[in-house]
Amino acid sequence: MTAVAVTLPPKPKVDWVPLAIVPVLALIALPLVGSFSTWVTLTVAALAMGMMIFLMASGLTLVFGLMDVINFGHGVFISIGAYLALLVLGPMAAWVASDSVIENVIVLLACIGVAMAGTGALGWAFERVVVRPVYGQHLKQILITMGGLIVAEQMIHVVWGASPIPISLPTTFRGAFVVGEAAVERYRVIAVVLGLLVFAAMYLVLNRTRIGLLIRAGVENAEMVEALGYRIRRLFVGVFIVGSGLAGLGGVMWAFYRQTLTAGMGMEVNVLIFIVIIVGGLGSIGGCFIGSLLVALIANYTGFLVPKLALVSNILLMVIVLLWRPQGLYPVAKR
Amino acid sequence: MNSLLSGDFPRSRLLAAILLAILFGLAFAPFLFPGAQPLNVAAKICVFVVLVASYDLLLGYTGIVSFAHTMFYGIGGYGVSIALYSFGPEWGPMALGIIAALAVSVVLALMIGLLSLRVRAIFFAMITLAVASAFAVLASQLSWLTGGEDGRSYRVPEVLRPGFRLLEEPLFGVAITGKILSYYLVFSVALVLFLLALRIVNSPFGRVLQAIRENDFRAEALGYRVVVYRSIATCLSAGMATLAGVLMALWLRYTGPDTTLSFAIMIDILLMVVIGGMGTLYGAVIGAALFTLAQNYLQVLMAQVSEATAGIPLLPQLFHPDRWLLWLGVLFVLSVYFFPTGIVGRLRR
């Protein structure tokens, strides 16, 4: 060994086992479901569902990973994002009903844009007013963000009224593609594509850019990053805003999927989101992605095979994963 | 007195006066405030004192947040409901139902505790939220057992029914019916359970819990198995919540998802603990009494404000009677920031 030899840091080992669970699960389900076309429909529906959950959950897990802040009020950003879409749907009602693909796409993008901007801004305010005074105190974080959730949910009632609001999908996104014998809803395909795009973008930002490097370093050891002269606080505010914006995006997608708006809709998925981030490992984006897919796949398959079991299938999944890996599928280093 | 209160005195004249007033009010509620509605409020306060005290054992004394408290409360309610509905209104089946409910609660609490507290306390909050919501769905789906969304009405043992007369003559102008007896059953069990909780938190065991709350790492270093203590606290608290559920089921003679399992009740409990004062059981009494009174009488006030401000934009909606949770939510957030020790903490300074 000469002194000049440059040793590259060892490549981090990729943990393939959790990754393999998703396709294995799908393959096991195939003979159980029986018919291939039903299986395709179920699987695509689950993937779409999983992507939407991922959109909503990714922000929360990142915020937790970076700053050890658990935001029980995350669900409210989902609801608010969905309600903000109304601001677009009202004036652009004609474009929603039109047959033109371009106009429909513009409406969807406008909804997403408004919702993300709105929830992002709200996230900034939420971080400043609600979360900042309680850094490092988990108990108070839980209580405060829960209180924020109650107040925000009631404010939605004040502004938009207490009764559920129906919304309709843009015309071209309705209906289904028929591939062979399997029917695949168009909107679900859009959700899958959008989810993959966001995941890819997030992956690239986290792994290929300087900011991503800092975020990952911050998750690993925030104090050290600060000692090296970076303002982790600013980074964190940025992540919080992006996380809230993503929740808003997820909220819009979720709202179009359900086609009704209720103030409690965010809180309802919040439970699912918590299961996902616990299963994935708190703070891990990859784990969150796999967790979302697992939760959705299992919910769909059990819903078809043993409907009674579907009610508790998510809890069972969580219990099994935690017994196997108590920190979740991809444990994040120090936490 | 010292051994009755386990040496934990109110330590403030005003607080002691308020507590005595509440105790007096509850003890003689049927005679002081005749009528069905006030008696209902009084019984609800008794039950919630127990429920909130048991929650405080977790939140205030051990420093762990649970969102499954209504689940244990509900298990107690459903235990009585299923037993009385299936086997008739006798004391035997009722005891069986209570024991079964207690067993289910404690085992469930132990399982959740061992699964989540082993890793990090924050897991507990999320896992309890998930489990509780799954349980609520389960209870409303298994309608052959629980009565589903509608819940179930059932008959209680004869002595506790409104038709029963203990004395021929009215006492102080109040007819002593089964309803009154049933109120005193609720009141005395609640009192005993509260004193028991006071005993627990002031025992050496309770001191260890507080040590864990302050610094779990240090407690572990001193040789206390944190997981074990936290799990026991969880089980104790779950058992007490179950008994509170039993009392409520006996009082209402009805058990359904809305009265036992709904998330709204969980939020009520949180508000009561925080506003009354975390980490002191007297806070549970004050919080439960204040909140229940507000719940029943604040809405009337808000309706008046809403009418008075009609015409001004937004204000009528803000003061709409259905929005009372908004104001309590604001109060909640403010009290976590500025009065983390709640009303009791303020009075004790």
Side-chain angles (χ1 to χ4, degrees), chain A residues 64 70 72 129-130 133 138-139 142-144 146-147 150-151 154-155 157-158 271 274-275 278 282 311 315 318 322 326-327, chain B residues 59 63 65 67 119-120 122-123 125-127 129-131 133-134 137 141 263 267 270 323 325-326 329-330 332-333 336-337:
Chain A
F64 183 85
I70 191 72
F72 270 72
V129 179
V130 178
H138 275 160
L139 190 93
I142 297 175
L143 295 178
I144 282 283
M146 203 74 203
I150 299 170
V151 173
Q154 294 293 318
M155 283 310 286
H157 283 313
V158 170
V271 172
F274 281 147
I275 295 179
I278 289 175
L282 286 170
L311 298 171
I315 305 287
M318 184 174 73
L322 286 183
Q327 305 265 12
Chain B
L59 181 67
V65 185
F67 288 104
V119 188
R120 335 168 23 111
I122 199 162
F123 262 39
M126 292 194 261
I127 289 181
L129 186 66
V131 172
S133 66
V137 174
Q141 293 292 318
F263 196 68
I267 290 177
L270 262 177
R323 294 290 83 76
L325 203 56
L326 173 70
V330 172
F332 174 78
V333 172
V336 174
Y337 279 143

Short mmCIF file of all heavy atoms in Angstrom, two decimals, chain A residues 64 70 72 129-130 133 138-139 142-144 146-147 150-151 154-155 157-158 271 274-275 278 282 311 315 318 322 326-327, chain B residues 59 63 65 67 119-120 122-123 125-127 129-131 133-134 137 141 263 267 270 323 325-326 329-330 332-333 336-337:
data_model
loop_
_atom_site.label_atom_id
_atom_site.label_comp_id
_atom_site.label_asym_id
_atom_site.label_seq_id
_atom_site.Cartn_x
_atom_site.Cartn_y
_atom_site.Cartn_z
N PHE A 64 -39.74 14.86 9.88
CA PHE A 64 -39.36 14.15 11.08
C PHE A 64 -37.89 13.78 11.04
O PHE A 64 -37.15 13.99 12.01
CB PHE A 64 -40.18 12.87 11.27
CG PHE A 64 -39.82 12.18 12.54
CD1 PHE A 64 -40.42 12.56 13.72
CD2 PHE A 64 -38.85 11.20 12.57
CE1 PHE A 64 -40.06 11.96 14.90
CE2 PHE A 64 -38.48 10.61 13.75
CZ PHE A 64 -39.10 10.99 14.92
N ILE A 70 -42.41 15.88 15.02
CA ILE A 70 -43.53 15.07 14.54
C ILE A 70 -44.75 15.97 14.45
O ILE A 70 -45.12 16.64 15.39
CB ILE A 70 -43.76 13.84 15.43
CG1 ILE A 70 -44.74 12.91 14.76
CG2 ILE A 70 -44.18 14.18 16.83
CD1 ILE A 70 -44.18 12.20 13.58
N PHE A 72 -48.48 16.23 14.00
CA PHE A 72 -49.78 15.56 13.97
C PHE A 72 -50.79 16.36 13.15
O PHE A 72 -51.85 15.86 12.83
CB PHE A 72 -50.30 15.32 15.38
CG PHE A 72 -49.87 14.01 15.94
CD1 PHE A 72 -48.56 13.81 16.31
CD2 PHE A 72 -50.75 12.96 16.07
CE1 PHE A 72 -48.13 12.59 16.80
CE2 PHE A 72 -50.33 11.73 16.56
CZ PHE A 72 -49.02 11.56 16.93
N VAL A 129 -45.21 29.85 13.64
CA VAL A 129 -46.06 30.16 14.79
C VAL A 129 -46.20 28.97 15.73
O VAL A 129 -46.10 29.10 16.94
CB VAL A 129 -47.47 30.60 14.29
CG1 VAL A 129 -48.36 30.89 15.47
CG2 VAL A 129 -47.34 31.80 13.39
N VAL A 130 -46.42 27.79 15.14
CA VAL A 130 -46.81 26.65 15.97
C VAL A 130 -45.62 25.79 16.37
O VAL A 130 -45.46 25.43 17.53
CB VAL A 130 -47.87 25.80 15.24
CG1 VAL A 130 -48.24 24.60 16.07
CG2 VAL A 130 -49.10 26.64 14.95
N PRO A 133 -41.65 27.23 18.59
CA PRO A 133 -41.41 27.33 20.02
C PRO A 133 -41.23 26.00 20.74
O PRO A 133 -40.85 26.00 21.90
CB PRO A 133 -42.66 28.05 20.55
CG PRO A 133 -43.30 28.64 19.35
CD PRO A 133 -42.95 27.76 18.21
N HIS A 138 -40.93 16.55 22.35
CA HIS A 138 -41.90 15.73 21.61
C HIS A 138 -43.32 15.86 22.15
O HIS A 138 -44.28 15.98 21.41
CB HIS A 138 -41.48 14.26 21.67
CG HIS A 138 -40.50 13.92 20.61
ND1 HIS A 138 -39.67 12.84 20.66
CD2 HIS A 138 -40.21 14.55 19.46
CE1 HIS A 138 -38.91 12.81 19.59
NE2 HIS A 138 -39.22 13.83 18.86
N LEU A 139 -43.41 15.81 23.48
CA LEU A 139 -44.73 15.82 24.09
C LEU A 139 -45.50 17.06 23.67
O LEU A 139 -46.65 17.00 23.23
CB LEU A 139 -44.56 15.77 25.61
CG LEU A 139 -45.84 15.54 26.35
CD1 LEU A 139 -45.99 14.06 26.58
CD2 LEU A 139 -45.82 16.25 27.67
N ILE A 142 -46.53 17.10 19.96
CA ILE A 142 -47.73 16.32 19.67
C ILE A 142 -48.97 17.11 20.07
O ILE A 142 -49.92 17.25 19.30
CB ILE A 142 -47.70 14.96 20.40
CG1 ILE A 142 -46.52 14.13 19.89
CG2 ILE A 142 -48.99 14.21 20.20
CD1 ILE A 142 -46.33 12.83 20.63
N LEU A 143 -48.94 17.68 21.27
CA LEU A 143 -50.11 18.41 21.76
C LEU A 143 -50.39 19.63 20.91
O LEU A 143 -51.53 19.88 20.49
CB LEU A 143 -49.90 18.82 23.22
CG LEU A 143 -49.77 17.67 24.21
CD1 LEU A 143 -49.52 18.20 25.59
CD2 LEU A 143 -51.02 16.81 24.18
N ILE A 144 -49.33 20.41 20.63
CA ILE A 144 -49.52 21.66 19.90
C ILE A 144 -50.01 21.41 18.48
O ILE A 144 -50.96 22.05 18.02
CB ILE A 144 -48.17 22.42 19.83
CG1 ILE A 144 -47.90 23.11 21.15
CG2 ILE A 144 -48.15 23.41 18.71
CD1 ILE A 144 -48.68 24.34 21.34
N MET A 146 -51.53 18.88 17.40
CA MET A 146 -52.90 18.36 17.48
C MET A 146 -53.88 19.53 17.66
O MET A 146 -54.94 19.57 17.02
CB MET A 146 -52.98 17.43 18.69
CG MET A 146 -54.07 16.43 18.63
SD MET A 146 -53.63 15.15 17.48
CE MET A 146 -55.24 14.57 17.11
N GLY A 147 -53.50 20.48 18.52
CA GLY A 147 -54.33 21.67 18.71
C GLY A 147 -54.46 22.46 17.42
O GLY A 147 -55.55 22.91 17.05
N ILE A 150 -56.98 20.84 15.24
CA ILE A 150 -58.37 21.11 15.63
C ILE A 150 -58.80 22.49 15.13
O ILE A 150 -59.84 22.65 14.48
CB ILE A 150 -58.53 21.05 17.17
CG1 ILE A 150 -58.17 19.67 17.69
CG2 ILE A 150 -59.93 21.42 17.58
CD1 ILE A 150 -58.08 19.61 19.20
N VAL A 151 -57.95 23.49 15.41
CA VAL A 151 -58.29 24.86 15.03
C VAL A 151 -58.43 24.98 13.52
O VAL A 151 -59.41 25.54 13.01
CB VAL A 151 -57.23 25.84 15.57
CG1 VAL A 151 -57.48 27.23 15.06
CG2 VAL A 151 -57.24 25.83 17.09
N GLN A 154 -61.56 23.40 12.17
CA GLN A 154 -62.74 24.21 12.45
C GLN A 154 -62.77 25.44 11.54
O GLN A 154 -63.84 25.89 11.12
CB GLN A 154 -62.73 24.66 13.92
CG GLN A 154 -62.90 23.53 14.90
CD GLN A 154 -64.27 22.90 14.81
OE1 GLN A 154 -65.27 23.58 14.69
NE2 GLN A 154 -64.31 21.58 14.86
N MET A 155 -61.57 25.99 11.23
CA MET A 155 -61.54 27.16 10.34
C MET A 155 -62.04 26.79 8.94
O MET A 155 -62.67 27.60 8.27
CB MET A 155 -60.11 27.73 10.26
CG MET A 155 -59.69 28.54 11.46
SD MET A 155 -60.87 29.80 11.97
CE MET A 155 -60.64 31.02 10.69
N HIS A 157 -64.34 24.71 8.37
CA HIS A 157 -65.79 24.76 8.52
C HIS A 157 -66.29 26.19 8.45
O HIS A 157 -67.31 26.48 7.83
CB HIS A 157 -66.20 24.17 9.87
CG HIS A 157 -66.17 22.67 9.91
ND1 HIS A 157 -66.72 21.90 8.91
CD2 HIS A 157 -65.66 21.81 10.80
CE1 HIS A 157 -66.54 20.63 9.21
NE2 HIS A 157 -65.90 20.55 10.35
N VAL A 158 -65.54 27.10 9.09
CA VAL A 158 -65.97 28.51 9.12
C VAL A 158 -65.95 29.08 7.70
O VAL A 158 -66.88 29.75 7.27
CB VAL A 158 -65.05 29.33 10.04
CG1 VAL A 158 -65.33 30.81 9.89
CG2 VAL A 158 -65.25 28.91 11.49
N VAL A 271 -54.09 8.73 9.62
CA VAL A 271 -53.85 7.45 10.28
C VAL A 271 -53.05 6.53 9.36
O VAL A 271 -52.05 5.93 9.75
CB VAL A 271 -55.20 6.81 10.66
CG1 VAL A 271 -54.97 5.41 11.15
CG2 VAL A 271 -55.89 7.64 11.71
N PHE A 274 -49.48 7.69 9.07
CA PHE A 274 -48.65 7.30 10.21
C PHE A 274 -48.21 5.85 10.08
O PHE A 274 -47.06 5.52 10.32
CB PHE A 274 -49.41 7.49 11.53
CG PHE A 274 -49.43 8.91 11.98
CD1 PHE A 274 -50.50 9.43 12.66
CD2 PHE A 274 -48.35 9.73 11.73
CE1 PHE A 274 -50.51 10.74 13.08
CE2 PHE A 274 -48.35 11.05 12.15
CZ PHE A 274 -49.44 11.56 12.82
N ILE A 275 -49.15 5.00 9.69
CA ILE A 275 -48.79 3.59 9.52
C ILE A 275 -47.68 3.47 8.49
O ILE A 275 -46.69 2.77 8.70
CB ILE A 275 -50.02 2.76 9.11
CG1 ILE A 275 -51.05 2.77 10.24
CG2 ILE A 275 -49.63 1.34 8.77
CD1 ILE A 275 -52.30 2.01 9.93
N ILE A 278 -44.31 4.69 9.84
CA ILE A 278 -43.76 3.78 10.85
C ILE A 278 -43.22 2.52 10.17
O ILE A 278 -42.13 2.05 10.46
CB ILE A 278 -44.84 3.39 11.88
CG1 ILE A 278 -45.16 4.59 12.76
CG2 ILE A 278 -44.37 2.25 12.75
CD1 ILE A 278 -46.29 4.34 13.71
N LEU A 282 -39.09 5.88 10.28
CA LEU A 282 -39.27 7.32 10.38
C LEU A 282 -38.09 8.07 9.77
O LEU A 282 -36.96 7.85 10.16
CB LEU A 282 -39.41 7.72 11.85
CG LEU A 282 -40.73 7.38 12.51
CD1 LEU A 282 -40.66 7.60 14.00
CD2 LEU A 282 -41.82 8.24 11.91
N LEU A 311 -60.25 -4.49 7.26
CA LEU A 311 -60.35 -3.40 8.22
C LEU A 311 -59.10 -3.29 9.08
O LEU A 311 -58.70 -2.21 9.46
CB LEU A 311 -61.56 -3.63 9.14
CG LEU A 311 -62.89 -3.65 8.43
CD1 LEU A 311 -63.98 -4.09 9.39
CD2 LEU A 311 -63.20 -2.28 7.88
N ILE A 315 -53.05 -2.61 10.27
CA ILE A 315 -52.49 -2.79 11.61
C ILE A 315 -51.65 -4.06 11.65
O ILE A 315 -50.55 -4.09 12.19
CB ILE A 315 -53.61 -2.87 12.66
CG1 ILE A 315 -54.52 -1.65 12.57
CG2 ILE A 315 -53.06 -3.03 14.04
CD1 ILE A 315 -53.91 -0.41 13.09
N MET A 318 -48.39 -3.54 10.03
CA MET A 318 -47.50 -2.76 10.89
C MET A 318 -46.90 -3.64 11.98
O MET A 318 -45.69 -3.59 12.24
CB MET A 318 -48.29 -1.60 11.50
CG MET A 318 -47.46 -0.68 12.34
SD MET A 318 -48.44 0.73 12.87
CE MET A 318 -49.47 -0.03 14.10
N LEU A 322 -42.98 -4.41 12.42
CA LEU A 322 -42.27 -3.97 13.62
C LEU A 322 -41.66 -5.14 14.39
O LEU A 322 -40.64 -4.99 15.04
CB LEU A 322 -43.20 -3.17 14.53
CG LEU A 322 -43.54 -1.77 14.04
CD1 LEU A 322 -44.41 -1.06 15.04
CD2 LEU A 322 -42.28 -0.97 13.78
N PRO A 326 -37.86 -3.57 14.27
CA PRO A 326 -38.54 -2.67 15.21
C PRO A 326 -38.43 -1.19 14.83
O PRO A 326 -39.22 -0.39 15.28
CB PRO A 326 -37.82 -2.94 16.53
CG PRO A 326 -37.18 -4.25 16.38
CD PRO A 326 -36.89 -4.43 14.94
N GLN A 327 -37.44 -0.84 14.01
CA GLN A 327 -37.31 0.58 13.62
C GLN A 327 -37.97 0.87 12.27
O GLN A 327 -37.80 1.96 11.73
CB GLN A 327 -35.83 0.95 13.50
CG GLN A 327 -35.02 0.66 14.73
CD GLN A 327 -34.91 1.88 15.63
OE1 GLN A 327 -35.60 2.87 15.44
NE2 GLN A 327 -34.05 1.80 16.61
N LEU B 59 -50.10 10.77 30.49
CA LEU B 59 -49.58 11.99 29.86
C LEU B 59 -48.80 12.83 30.86
O LEU B 59 -47.66 13.22 30.61
CB LEU B 59 -50.74 12.80 29.28
CG LEU B 59 -50.36 14.10 28.58
CD1 LEU B 59 -49.59 13.79 27.33
CD2 LEU B 59 -51.59 14.91 28.24
N GLY B 63 -45.39 10.91 30.92
CA GLY B 63 -44.89 11.64 29.76
C GLY B 63 -45.03 10.90 28.45
O GLY B 63 -44.23 11.09 27.55
N VAL B 65 -47.79 10.06 25.23
CA VAL B 65 -49.06 10.46 24.66
C VAL B 65 -49.74 9.27 24.03
O VAL B 65 -49.14 8.57 23.22
CB VAL B 65 -48.87 11.55 23.59
CG1 VAL B 65 -50.21 12.05 23.11
CG2 VAL B 65 -48.05 12.68 24.14
N PHE B 67 -53.32 7.93 22.04
CA PHE B 67 -54.58 8.33 21.41
C PHE B 67 -55.57 7.18 21.45
O PHE B 67 -56.56 7.18 20.73
CB PHE B 67 -54.36 8.80 19.98
CG PHE B 67 -53.69 10.12 19.91
CD1 PHE B 67 -52.36 10.23 19.58
CD2 PHE B 67 -54.38 11.27 20.20
CE1 PHE B 67 -51.73 11.44 19.54
CE2 PHE B 67 -53.76 12.50 20.16
CZ PHE B 67 -52.43 12.59 19.83
N VAL B 119 -39.20 0.74 21.40
CA VAL B 119 -38.36 1.47 20.46
C VAL B 119 -38.24 2.94 20.86
O VAL B 119 -37.20 3.39 21.28
CB VAL B 119 -38.91 1.35 19.03
CG1 VAL B 119 -37.93 1.94 18.06
CG2 VAL B 119 -39.18 -0.10 18.69
N ARG B 120 -39.31 3.67 20.73
CA ARG B 120 -39.28 5.07 21.12
C ARG B 120 -40.67 5.44 21.59
O ARG B 120 -41.66 4.95 21.09
CB ARG B 120 -38.94 6.03 19.98
CG ARG B 120 -38.17 5.47 18.88
CD ARG B 120 -38.17 6.42 17.70
NE ARG B 120 -38.43 7.78 18.06
CZ ARG B 120 -37.54 8.74 17.99
NH1 ARG B 120 -36.35 8.48 17.60
NH2 ARG B 120 -37.88 9.97 18.30
N ILE B 122 -42.29 8.04 21.02
CA ILE B 122 -43.10 8.74 20.03
C ILE B 122 -43.86 7.76 19.14
O ILE B 122 -44.93 8.08 18.62
CB ILE B 122 -42.22 9.69 19.20
CG1 ILE B 122 -43.09 10.73 18.52
CG2 ILE B 122 -41.38 8.96 18.21
CD1 ILE B 122 -42.35 11.92 18.04
N PHE B 123 -43.30 6.56 18.98
CA PHE B 123 -44.03 5.52 18.25
C PHE B 123 -45.40 5.29 18.88
O PHE B 123 -46.38 5.04 18.19
CB PHE B 123 -43.27 4.20 18.32
CG PHE B 123 -42.44 3.91 17.12
CD1 PHE B 123 -41.74 4.93 16.50
CD2 PHE B 123 -42.36 2.63 16.61
CE1 PHE B 123 -40.97 4.67 15.40
CE2 PHE B 123 -41.59 2.37 15.50
CZ PHE B 123 -40.89 3.38 14.90
N ALA B 125 -47.53 7.19 20.35
CA ALA B 125 -48.60 8.11 19.96
C ALA B 125 -49.19 7.71 18.61
O ALA B 125 -50.41 7.64 18.44
CB ALA B 125 -48.07 9.53 19.90
N MET B 126 -48.30 7.41 17.65
CA MET B 126 -48.79 7.11 16.31
C MET B 126 -49.47 5.75 16.26
O MET B 126 -50.51 5.58 15.63
CB MET B 126 -47.62 7.15 15.34
CG MET B 126 -47.07 8.53 15.17
SD MET B 126 -45.99 8.63 13.78
CE MET B 126 -44.46 8.51 14.59
N ILE B 127 -48.86 4.78 16.95
CA ILE B 127 -49.43 3.42 16.89
C ILE B 127 -50.79 3.39 17.60
O ILE B 127 -51.74 2.78 17.10
CB ILE B 127 -48.45 2.41 17.48
CG1 ILE B 127 -47.28 2.26 16.51
CG2 ILE B 127 -49.12 1.07 17.72
CD1 ILE B 127 -46.24 1.28 16.92
N LEU B 129 -52.86 5.80 17.83
CA LEU B 129 -53.82 6.45 16.93
C LEU B 129 -54.32 5.46 15.88
O LEU B 129 -55.53 5.35 15.63
CB LEU B 129 -53.16 7.66 16.26
CG LEU B 129 -54.06 8.53 15.41
CD1 LEU B 129 -55.08 9.21 16.28
CD2 LEU B 129 -53.25 9.58 14.66
N ALA B 130 -53.37 4.71 15.30
CA ALA B 130 -53.74 3.76 14.26
C ALA B 130 -54.62 2.65 14.82
O ALA B 130 -55.68 2.32 14.25
CB ALA B 130 -52.48 3.17 13.63
N VAL B 131 -54.20 2.09 15.95
CA VAL B 131 -54.96 0.97 16.52
C VAL B 131 -56.35 1.42 16.94
O VAL B 131 -57.35 0.74 16.68
CB VAL B 131 -54.20 0.37 17.73
CG1 VAL B 131 -55.05 -0.65 18.44
CG2 VAL B 131 -52.91 -0.27 17.28
N SER B 133 -58.17 3.85 15.74
CA SER B 133 -59.10 4.09 14.63
C SER B 133 -59.53 2.77 14.01
O SER B 133 -60.69 2.63 13.59
CB SER B 133 -58.47 5.02 13.60
OG SER B 133 -57.39 4.39 12.99
N ALA B 134 -58.60 1.79 13.96
CA ALA B 134 -59.00 0.48 13.45
C ALA B 134 -60.06 -0.15 14.35
O ALA B 134 -61.03 -0.74 13.87
CB ALA B 134 -57.78 -0.44 13.35
N VAL B 137 -63.48 1.37 13.74
CA VAL B 137 -64.10 0.83 12.52
C VAL B 137 -64.63 -0.58 12.78
O VAL B 137 -65.76 -0.92 12.43
CB VAL B 137 -63.08 0.81 11.37
CG1 VAL B 137 -63.66 0.13 10.15
CG2 VAL B 137 -62.64 2.21 11.02
N GLN B 141 -68.42 -2.10 12.51
CA GLN B 141 -68.71 -3.09 11.48
C GLN B 141 -69.29 -4.39 12.05
O GLN B 141 -70.12 -5.03 11.42
CB GLN B 141 -67.43 -3.42 10.69
CG GLN B 141 -66.90 -2.28 9.87
CD GLN B 141 -67.81 -1.93 8.71
OE1 GLN B 141 -68.34 -2.81 8.04
NE2 GLN B 141 -68.02 -0.65 8.48
N PHE B 263 -63.39 10.02 17.98
CA PHE B 263 -62.18 10.79 18.17
C PHE B 263 -62.47 12.10 18.89
O PHE B 263 -61.61 12.65 19.57
CB PHE B 263 -61.53 11.07 16.81
CG PHE B 263 -60.11 11.51 16.93
CD1 PHE B 263 -59.14 10.63 17.37
CD2 PHE B 263 -59.75 12.80 16.63
CE1 PHE B 263 -57.84 11.05 17.52
CE2 PHE B 263 -58.44 13.21 16.76
CZ PHE B 263 -57.48 12.34 17.20
N ILE B 267 -60.30 14.04 21.87
CA ILE B 267 -59.90 15.45 21.90
C ILE B 267 -60.40 16.12 23.17
O ILE B 267 -59.67 16.89 23.81
CB ILE B 267 -60.42 16.16 20.64
CG1 ILE B 267 -59.65 15.65 19.43
CG2 ILE B 267 -60.26 17.66 20.76
CD1 ILE B 267 -60.11 16.22 18.13
N LEU B 270 -58.05 15.22 25.95
CA LEU B 270 -56.81 16.00 25.84
C LEU B 270 -57.00 17.40 26.37
O LEU B 270 -56.19 17.92 27.14
CB LEU B 270 -56.39 16.07 24.37
CG LEU B 270 -55.36 15.09 23.88
CD1 LEU B 270 -55.14 15.28 22.40
CD2 LEU B 270 -54.05 15.30 24.62
N ARG B 323 -69.24 25.72 16.31
CA ARG B 323 -67.80 26.01 16.24
C ARG B 323 -67.16 26.16 17.61
O ARG B 323 -66.10 26.71 17.73
CB ARG B 323 -67.56 27.32 15.45
CG ARG B 323 -67.91 27.31 14.00
CD ARG B 323 -66.99 26.45 13.18
NE ARG B 323 -67.35 25.03 13.22
CZ ARG B 323 -68.37 24.52 12.56
NH1 ARG B 323 -69.09 25.25 11.78
NH2 ARG B 323 -68.66 23.24 12.66
N LEU B 325 -65.69 24.11 19.38
CA LEU B 325 -64.41 23.41 19.46
C LEU B 325 -63.28 24.30 18.96
O LEU B 325 -62.14 24.17 19.41
CB LEU B 325 -64.50 22.13 18.63
CG LEU B 325 -63.53 21.03 19.00
CD1 LEU B 325 -63.65 20.66 20.44
CD2 LEU B 325 -63.74 19.82 18.12
N LEU B 326 -63.59 25.22 18.04
CA LEU B 326 -62.58 26.16 17.56
C LEU B 326 -61.99 26.95 18.71
O LEU B 326 -60.78 27.05 18.86
CB LEU B 326 -63.23 27.10 16.54
CG LEU B 326 -62.38 28.26 16.04
CD1 LEU B 326 -61.27 27.78 15.16
CD2 LEU B 326 -63.24 29.25 15.28
N GLY B 329 -60.06 24.85 21.03
CA GLY B 329 -58.79 24.51 20.39
C GLY B 329 -57.78 25.62 20.57
O GLY B 329 -56.61 25.38 20.92
N VAL B 330 -58.23 26.86 20.36
CA VAL B 330 -57.35 28.01 20.55
C VAL B 330 -56.89 28.06 22.00
O VAL B 330 -55.69 28.23 22.30
CB VAL B 330 -58.07 29.32 20.16
CG1 VAL B 330 -57.23 30.51 20.55
CG2 VAL B 330 -58.36 29.33 18.67
N PHE B 332 -56.64 25.63 24.01
CA PHE B 332 -55.74 24.50 24.20
C PHE B 332 -54.32 24.85 23.77
O PHE B 332 -53.36 24.69 24.54
CB PHE B 332 -56.27 23.32 23.37
CG PHE B 332 -55.40 22.11 23.35
CD1 PHE B 332 -55.37 21.25 24.41
CD2 PHE B 332 -54.63 21.82 22.23
CE1 PHE B 332 -54.57 20.12 24.38
CE2 PHE B 332 -53.83 20.71 22.19
CZ PHE B 332 -53.81 19.86 23.27
N VAL B 333 -54.20 25.39 22.55
CA VAL B 333 -52.87 25.75 22.04
C VAL B 333 -52.22 26.79 22.95
O VAL B 333 -51.06 26.66 23.34
CB VAL B 333 -52.97 26.27 20.59
CG1 VAL B 333 -51.64 26.83 20.14
CG2 VAL B 333 -53.42 25.18 19.66
N VAL B 336 -51.04 25.25 26.20
CA VAL B 336 -49.82 24.46 26.11
C VAL B 336 -48.60 25.38 26.08
O VAL B 336 -47.57 25.11 26.71
CB VAL B 336 -49.83 23.54 24.87
CG1 VAL B 336 -48.49 22.83 24.74
CG2 VAL B 336 -50.92 22.51 24.98
N TYR B 337 -48.72 26.51 25.36
CA TYR B 337 -47.59 27.45 25.31
C TYR B 337 -47.36 28.14 26.64
O TYR B 337 -46.27 28.15 27.18
CB TYR B 337 -47.87 28.55 24.28
CG TYR B 337 -47.59 28.15 22.87
CD1 TYR B 337 -48.40 28.59 21.84
CD2 TYR B 337 -46.50 27.36 22.55
CE1 TYR B 337 -48.16 28.24 20.53
CE2 TYR B 337 -46.25 27.00 21.25
CZ TYR B 337 -47.08 27.45 20.24
OH TYR B 337 -46.84 27.10 18.96
#
